[in-house]
Amino acid sequence: MASIARKNLFEDIPRFLVAQAGIMFAVSLVTIQTGILNGFTRSTALLIDQSSADLWVGSEDMLQLEVTLPMPLQNLVTARQVKGVARAEALMIRTGLWRSSSGSIEPVRIYGFDPKGQLLAANWKFISGDLAKLDAPYTVLIDRASRNTLDLQDVGNTGKIGSLPANLVGIVADTQSIASSAYIFTSLENANAYGTAGLTSSLNCRLTGDDIKCLNSFATLPDNQPTNIPPPKALSFTDPITYILVKAKPGQDLQDLKQRLAKQLSGTRVYTQAEIADKTRTYWKSRTGVGFILGLGSVVGIIVGMVVVSQILYSSVADHIKEFGTLKAMGASDWVIAGIITEQALWMAILGYLPSMALCVGLGFWTMSAKGIMILITPATAIGILGVTIIMCVGSAMFAIQKVTRVDPAIVFKA
Amino acid sequence: MADSQVNLAEPAPDADQVASTSVIADGHIHQAIVARAVSMAYQSGNERFEVLKGIDLEIKQGDIHLLMGPSGSGKTTLLSILAGILTPVTGTVHLLGAEITSMSREQLAQFRLEHIGFIFQESNLFPALTALENVEVTLKIEGVHGHSNRRQRALELLDQVKMANKANHLPRHLSGGQKQLVAIARALAGNPELIMADEPTAALDSHSGHTVVELLRTLAKEAGKTVLMVTHDPRIVDLADRIAYLEDGLLRSSS
């Protein structure tokens, strides 16, 4: 049978298109904001998700992956001796200043790890180059999302961190956090060297009464360092590392192992992979206000959509008030009339949602490939936004339904 | 209705007594419409307007009954009350033996759906639906199940009003008379015993008006339907069984 709702919708094509444009704007805004939030929060813990470690040992003061305090390398040796540990590897996080071959500078986050290890990089997807070359002095990997930022297009390109050279030996995918500076992956020794590259320190102490007061002064080195740079020095047990990644022996109870590690390593806290990923994502979502800001954008989108749909449905009902009045005079119940308008709202929701979602998915692919920004639209997100769209449109129909159910059927007798 | 109704709070006549006038001894309905002491008033600010003043009216089943009178005499208000769309402030109305003035809003809607077909001065067809679809919509509201059933029945109804060949036309492609014929087909969708028409020929040319009236007369005389029609149209007078004249809210004469 003919659907009054559907036919009314297409009766006035320009008005229909205006309505759909409004709904598409609203749905796209909600989808993009939600997708950016999803992509953002997911990206902040991509490194953790891709690791093979069962447990992460970090500082007890750790706020999120990149905001924490160091521990001595000695802890790695201790961790390897804990019962139930199959493998333990160090992860060192430093900051530095990247200088590209063209001379531009960029803050970078330096991740040092054991290239021969199995717990951090085993699952990485290489776009070019390979992990084995990272053993050489002053070699680095980057994520493809940072290529333009660091002005490194392919393997063999170079730059500097502080005063030290950095030779690109590989490009990986899906490791970079949107929230963070560009990542530089390198060996532990290189990372340790890069962490203090470009700085000299001098420790001056003097006796004042019974106290010794010391001042550790750092100064920036000039860029014109000698070309013959010695390789980075081997790490000592007192060198600071940031995390210990632990693989448990098969069948090992992780909660038991967590307790044993925490007991052996004072000042630390042990997290499962899921726990540290969740802690990191929650930090970015909640403590930075990013979730609130993007959520606010979504709410604005919903409000815009509701206003547009309300106006269009209301004017459509006003245009057909005599026809609806006729149905009421004939004996149609308010439910029948409300059903017609609700169906119209549902059609508007579906026809606005589908092209919007296609647009947003396409936009997501483009932003990922062009800008390295992930707009993550999961099936759950897509279904959730469909629900929001339907609620938005049907909710907007309430004004129109109220108008038509209040209409006096006697109006049809007044020509 | 822009103004609020006045509750005059007069006791209604004995409903059983009135109902008995519309049912003969063998149980068959004799009077299709019986109105007793029907009054209606509107309040506008401090002023009260009495639109109908104690109307008594009986209409036999199968009759074509016209309601005539000058503008503002209360014809449309009386029609609305007799159709169960407005509730009088006093008085009772029995349709087909049932007292509609004591029915709830929902019961009234159901009663109208089952027993009354409406024809208005304007056809009020949904402009986005074809003639066939406009009739189908009414059939669906009437509770006719199945798409093919509804389509078949709608085509029969359009054929009954000689509009089957225009079934797939949108209202904007039909003349005023043709739209009114489709509206009659729609009014017949529930096979109603009563047809209430409000100046159905007012907007039609002579030929179209004649076609519509002839059709209504056929429905009354051959299908036994009772037609109550508000009109100013003198061309219809000859076709009516009875005519009631309203003036200043009073039934002046009935012939």
Side-chain angles (χ1 to χ4, degrees):
Chain A
M1 199 207 65
S3 158
I4 300 177
R6 204 170 60 240
K7 294 248 176 173
N8 275 353
L9 203 59
F10 295 123
E11 183 189 359
D12 186 342
I13 295 294
R15 184 162 65 182
F16 167 72
L17 292 177
V18 169
Q20 294 316 106
I23 296 168
M24 280 181 67
F25 172 78
V27 173
S28 299
L29 196 57
V30 174
T31 307
I32 289 169
Q33 300 277 344
T34 310
I36 288 175
L37 182 60
N38 285 345
F40 172 84
T41 50
R42 179 177 175 268
S43 81
T44 56
L46 271 175
L47 272 181
I48 302 167
D49 293 338
Q50 297 209 32
S51 80
S52 311
D54 295 318
L55 299 173
W56 288 59
V57 182
S59 164
E60 60 187 0
D61 297 319
M62 192 266 280
L63 292 178
Q64 54 107 332
L65 179 68
E66 295 175 353
V67 180
T68 186
L69 295 174
M71 66 180 92
L73 184 63
Q74 175 64 47
N75 277 8
L76 177 67
V77 179
T78 309
R80 282 175 175 161
Q81 292 163 353
V82 172
K83 184 187 163 199
V85 172
R87 190 175 188 86
E89 296 173 11
L91 175 64
M92 182 186 290
I93 303 177
R94 297 278 191 276
T95 54
L97 196 63
W98 174 264
R99 186 177 287 278
S100 73
S101 54
S102 63
S104 62
I105 59 170
E106 192 69 35
V108 289
R109 189 76 70 177
I110 303 159
Y111 280 82
F113 64 101
D114 180 3
K116 292 191 180 74
Q118 297 170 9
L119 301 186
L120 184 73
N123 299 326
W124 287 1
K125 186 167 67 182
F126 274 77
I127 306 299
S128 60
D130 60 71
L131 195 58
K133 291 178 182 162
L134 209 58
D135 251 353
Y138 307 121
T139 54
V140 297
L141 302 175
I142 61 165
D143 190 279
R144 66 177 170 185
S146 305
R147 280 197 291 203
N148 291 335
T149 309
L150 302 175
D151 197 14
L152 293 174
Q153 295 308 317
D154 213 343
V155 169
N157 291 170
T158 60
K160 279 185 172 180
I161 298 172
S163 58
L164 298 175
N167 302 310
L168 184 66
V169 294
I171 298 173
V172 296
D174 302 333
T175 59
Q176 178 67 45
S177 162
I178 299 172
S180 194
S181 305
Y183 286 170
I184 299 281
F185 300 109
T186 188
S187 66
L188 286 163
E189 292 78 10
N190 287 337
N192 197 34
Y194 285 141
T196 54
L199 296 173
T200 60
S201 72
S202 60
L203 189 64
N204 297 303
C205 299
R206 62 191 172 117
L207 189 64
T208 55
D210 292 337
D211 294 333
I212 297 175
K213 288 193 174 175
C214 294
L215 182 66
N216 195 0
S217 303
F218 290 88
T220 307
L221 285 173
D223 276 350
N224 53 348
Q225 289 291 296
T227 51
N228 187 16
I229 298 170
K233 67 180 180 66
L235 296 182
S236 70
F237 288 132
T238 56
D239 279 326
I241 59 171
T242 315
Y243 292 99
I244 301 168
L245 278 59
V246 174
K247 187 76 179 171
K249 284 183 176 166
Q252 174 62 50
D253 185 293
L254 287 184
Q255 294 306 319
D256 290 346
L257 184 55
K258 271 176 72 174
Q259 287 178 2
R260 283 198 295 275
L261 282 164
K263 194 174 174 184
Q264 294 293 319
L265 303 168
S266 62
T268 66
R269 186 165 170 190
V270 187
Y271 301 89
T272 63
Q273 187 185 31
E275 284 168 350
I276 192 169
D278 186 56
K279 190 173 173 74
T280 300
R281 290 193 171 111
T282 303
Y283 172 88
W284 283 108
K285 256 198 294 198
S286 308
R287 291 191 57 172
T288 62
V290 168
F292 175 76
I293 291 165
L294 293 174
L296 195 63
S298 298
V299 172
V300 169
I302 292 169
I303 291 170
V304 169
M306 288 191 84
V307 169
V308 171
V309 176
S310 302
Q311 285 186 333
I312 297 294
L313 281 176
Y314 196 85
S315 64
S316 171
V317 162
D319 287 351
H320 296 103
I321 201 71
K322 279 226 158 189
E323 289 84 358
F324 285 120
T326 300
L327 293 184
K328 285 191 75 172
M330 288 191 302
S333 68
D334 286 345
W335 286 109
V336 170
I337 311 282
I340 292 168
I341 297 164
T342 304
E343 187 190 336
Q344 198 166 333
L346 283 172
W347 278 111
M348 291 174 84
I350 301 292
L351 295 176
Y353 171 83
L354 291 176
S356 303
M357 196 48 71
L359 183 75
C360 291
V361 169
L363 189 68
F365 278 116
W366 179 77
T367 56
M368 189 64 210
S369 61
K371 301 287 177 189
I373 296 170
M374 183 184 288
I375 297 175
L376 181 61
I377 304 168
T378 61
T381 304
I383 291 167
I385 290 172
L386 175 62
V388 168
T389 309
I390 288 172
I391 291 168
M392 175 181 84
C393 289
V394 173
S396 306
M398 290 305 145
F399 298 105
I401 289 171
Q402 197 178 35
K403 179 176 177 66
V404 81
T405 52
R406 283 184 177 177
V407 75
D408 182 352
I411 61 160
V412 291
F413 285 119
K414 296 159 191 164
Chain B
M1 189 169 67
D3 303 317
S4 58
Q5 293 175 11
V6 174
N7 185 0
L8 299 177
E10 288 177 11
D14 184 347
D16 293 338
Q17 184 189 345
V18 176
S20 66
T21 64
S22 62
V23 182
I24 59 175
D26 61 1
H28 287 97
I29 296 163
H30 181 61
Q31 301 288 7
I33 301 171
V34 178
R36 290 279 181 264
V38 169
S39 294
M40 190 68 182
Y42 298 113
Q43 187 85 32
S44 180
N46 292 326
E47 285 191 89
R48 192 184 70 179
F49 299 95
E50 285 192 62
V51 185
L52 298 174
K53 301 164 185 169
I55 300 290
D56 291 312
L57 183 66
E58 292 187 7
I59 299 173
K60 281 198 298 183
Q61 196 169 36
D63 269 6
I64 293 186
H65 200 112
L66 303 188
L67 272 177
M68 300 186 81
S71 292
S73 58
K75 302 185 298 294
T76 298
T77 302
L78 180 58
L79 182 71
S80 301
I81 289 170
L82 297 180
I85 288 173
L86 288 180
T87 305
V89 287
T90 61
T92 57
V93 175
H94 285 75
L95 298 183
L96 307 169
E99 191 198 338
I100 64 165
T101 33
S102 62
M103 289 181 182
S104 67
R105 194 164 162 249
E106 289 73 26
Q107 287 172 321
L108 274 172
Q110 190 60 34
F111 188 89
R112 292 199 302 268
L113 195 63
E114 290 172 1
H115 300 291
I116 306 175
F118 288 95
I119 305 162
F120 308 102
Q121 185 173 335
E122 292 173 358
S123 62
N124 295 337
L125 299 174
F126 277 97
L129 304 186
T130 64
L132 184 69
E133 289 165 346
N134 266 289
V135 180
E136 277 186 85
V137 164
T138 313
L139 287 166
K140 188 176 184 189
I141 292 169
E142 295 281 352
V144 177
H145 296 294
H147 173 257
S148 57
N149 277 349
R150 284 194 294 266
R151 179 138 291 206
Q152 181 62 33
R153 177 78 183 124
L155 276 170
E156 287 169 8
L157 289 164
L158 286 173
D159 189 47
Q160 203 175 338
V161 298
K162 310 262 186 298
M163 285 294 292
N165 60 336
K166 303 282 185 187
N168 294 318
H169 284 55
L170 290 170
R172 65 172 173 270
H173 297 136
L174 299 175
S175 69
Q178 288 171 330
K179 279 191 265 194
Q180 204 58 303
L181 290 173
V182 174
I184 293 173
R186 180 180 62 183
L188 298 175
N191 195 22
E193 297 96 325
L194 303 172
I195 293 176
M196 307 269 187
D198 183 29
E199 304 204 37
T201 59
L204 303 183
D205 59 38
S206 173
H207 175 71
S208 300
H210 190 261
T211 305
V212 166
V213 170
E214 275 300 323
L215 179 60
L216 290 173
R217 181 165 183 79
T218 303
L219 287 169
K221 296 308 164 194
E222 292 180 11
K225 298 187 187 305
T226 306
V227 179
L228 174 60
M229 193 186 318
V230 166
T231 186
H232 282 108
D233 192 345
R235 297 169 296 183
I236 299 175
V237 172
D238 292 343
L239 299 169
D241 295 305
R242 290 175 68 85
I243 302 170
Y245 290 93
L246 268 174
E247 194 171 348
D248 296 330
L250 293 167
L251 202 57
R252 294 292 183 196
S253 63
S254 189
S255 60

